[in-house]
Amino acid sequence: MPYLKPNVPYEDNRTKEEVLEYAFSALKRNHDAFSSSSSSSLRGKSSSSLSFVEEERERLTDTGNNCVSSSSRNTNNATTLNHHHHHHNNNNHNNNNSNNNKANVVTLRTNDDEYYYTNGGDKQQQQFRQNDDSQEEGSRYWRIFATSDVHADMQANKDWVVRFCQNCSHPEPGTVLLVAGDVATDVQKVIDALKLFKMRYQEVFYCVGNHELWSPGRGEMGDSVDKFVVIMDAVTSIGVRCTPTVFTHQGVNELGMRQTKRILVVPMLSWYTETFKGGTRPFTQMEVHFDGACIWPPAIGDPKDKRNSHPATLDEFWRRLGKMSLESFLPKSLRVSNTTRNNNEDDVNAVDCGNEVAFLATFGHFVPLPDLFNGTPFIEKVVGSESLGEDILALRDECDCKSTPGSGRSSPAARFKKGRFDYNSTIKHIHVFGHSHLNVDVELDGSRWYQRAVGYPTDRGPMPPEMPRQIYPA
């Protein structure tokens, strides 16, 4: 734990609500960056901007392709948040309640090779260029890939990210990457790794893990929530998404008729709880000091020990923050099926999101179900949250994305094949997670649960890191 320091005087009189509003304001800035008409320059980076990719390739070439260093034009990414430190402006959420926030909708249109970024009806057109021979089948619909636990602080992992992304001439159209936390501990290394992924994938989603929240306890990152805000603003500046988003493309239904497919991508924030799988037994030596490098405001952590990462209130805080994001940025009309939104063909600004959710992709860092962790029992108290699993399943049911035998949405054959995912079934929901560094790909209770972590070099031995794999379409 590189940031574990002796206790220093630490005063924080914020209430839980003030800390929550402070963290939410960073998520709102991320959401607004993709929906506000004033952010067209950022949108250009978040789409397949060839100039952005070429600039990154040139920067890598200049540094010898051996490492990813910070460039002068990005030195402020992780250090311009001093004005956020312990500033508690509650007006951000109060003046922009969930009724006034519009969903971010991204439509893939292949007939004219254009992206349309919309803010609930306010259409912005963004051209992207591609080679004539790149109009392949994969660019006709959204494809989702997933990875986690990149740990780019480690040289071997950082070198792999560079090799994996640096030779991409442009992001592949119609691709989405979900990064389920633990990219790095150092903020600049988080940014460098995500910028590289942006060179390969059209859209990149990200949520923090526990390693990102290790805090040195000084400067603008006085505690782990401050560091969260710093990271959110930094990744927003490079066009990485951290809030719920709707993706649509044209498809066909079971009758062969044209139909708009609506895909929801939803980050699920959480922490871990000691009752997840370890029951009431005492903490092991490995567990008791786990994430001792974090610093928590007394209002959401342990008032007597700011580096104690075990209080159940931490999981409650992060899950509540995630629910605020969901309710504010993804209206219920877009989450439920059999609902037509803006279905007026005469309205040129209307966004056709289809009348059902074709697929739901949720992702978060921590393990959501006890059955998904079969690792060492010495860390069972610091791996996941059953309440997170309940939140995920509740959202899935709300979107009507549970596959059950006989529903026509899954194979009539047994849904399990030796404990692995049955690729013959038609699953409408997948949850991507990380943290445990254990490969998981199973179908439980009508959902697919997935982890393919890059992990530590010692986890892999002589094997190369796991490349992000396509999870939709399966």
Side-chain angles (χ1 to χ4, degrees), residues 268 360 388-400:
M268 302 294 291
L360 170 65
L388 168 64
E390 294 172 359
D391 294 342
I392 294 169
L393 294 177
L395 176 61
R396 179 206 63 186
D397 293 344
E398 184 180 37
C399 297
D400 193 22

Side-chain angles (χ1 to χ4, degrees), residues 24 27-28 31-32 35 93 96-106 118-120 205 241-248 262-268 321-337 339 341 351 353 356-363 391-392 394-396 398-401 429:
F24 178 80
L27 291 178
K28 189 176 189 309
H31 170 82
D32 291 348
S35 59
H93 185 51
N96 298 278
N97 57 49
S98 59
N99 293 327
N100 294 328
N101 290 315
K102 297 180 180 180
N104 286 334
V105 182
V106 187
T118 66
N119 179 24
F205 282 79
R241 296 176 182 264
C242 302
T243 56
T245 302
V246 181
F247 290 89
T248 68
R262 187 192 339 157
I263 302 167
L264 307 185
V265 178
V266 181
M268 302 294 291
L321 179 62
K323 290 179 180 178
M324 287 176 62
S325 175
L326 177 65
E327 295 295 332
S328 298
F329 308 138
L330 190 64
K332 191 170 183 178
S333 62
L334 286 178
R335 301 200 301 270
V336 299
S337 292
T339 301
R341 180 174 178 271
V351 183
C353 293
E356 73 171 305
V357 178
F359 193 78
L360 170 65
T362 56
F363 73 101
D391 294 342
I392 294 169
L395 176 61
R396 179 206 63 186
E398 184 180 37
C399 297
D400 193 22
C401 287
H429 168 242

